[in-house]
Amino acid sequence: MSIFSKKDKVTLDLQSISTLISEGSILDGNLKAPAFARIDGQVTGDVMVDEGLILGEKGSILGNIITKEMVVYGMITGNIQTNSLEIKASGKISGEIRTQTLVVENGAVYNGSLSMTQNHKLAQSQSHKLSQPKPKMIEV
């Protein structure tokens, strides 16, 4: 091992979660979070998370999502814009996906269109395309 070797990237599942929507919680409205978030409840509205998002098995989102990294165990109906997307076996997505990297486990369900690019700034550069007229924003 060299002194100049890169540190291994910490997987999204091991990151410190700063925002949590727990199982049984219902959020009607947009969600904006500054770091890493986990949703195990139900969100109806657009979700913008600066760093990464984990959608748990019981979690569901009805709205558009913009984040850098995302792992999906639950259900999404809406468009996703991210640099890295992982759909686990229990994940179900309906909508347009724009991503740089995509991992799909056996058993996952995806219905929609997929656009892949090597642009590192994908989530930030295309954010205006996913947004619709903005109702009130809830900042966490």
Side-chain angles (χ1 to χ4, degrees), residues 9-20 36-40 51-57 69-74 84-90 103 105:
K9 185 177 175 185
V10 178
T11 64
L12 184 58
D13 286 339
L14 300 177
Q15 292 291 342
S16 175
I17 302 297
S18 63
T19 303
L20 174 65
F36 293 92
R38 180 176 176 106
I39 298 174
D40 290 312
E51 295 299 322
L53 174 64
I54 299 171
L55 181 65
E57 282 191 48
E69 298 177 80
M70 186 168 185
V71 178
V72 178
Y73 293 91
S84 174
L85 176 63
E86 189 173 347
I87 308 172
K88 298 295 189 177
S90 58
V103 176
E105 285 187 353

Side-chain angles (χ1 to χ4, degrees), residues 20 35 61 70 77 117-118 128:
L20 174 65
I61 298 173
M70 186 168 185
T77 303
T117 180
Q118 293 183 344
H128 67 279

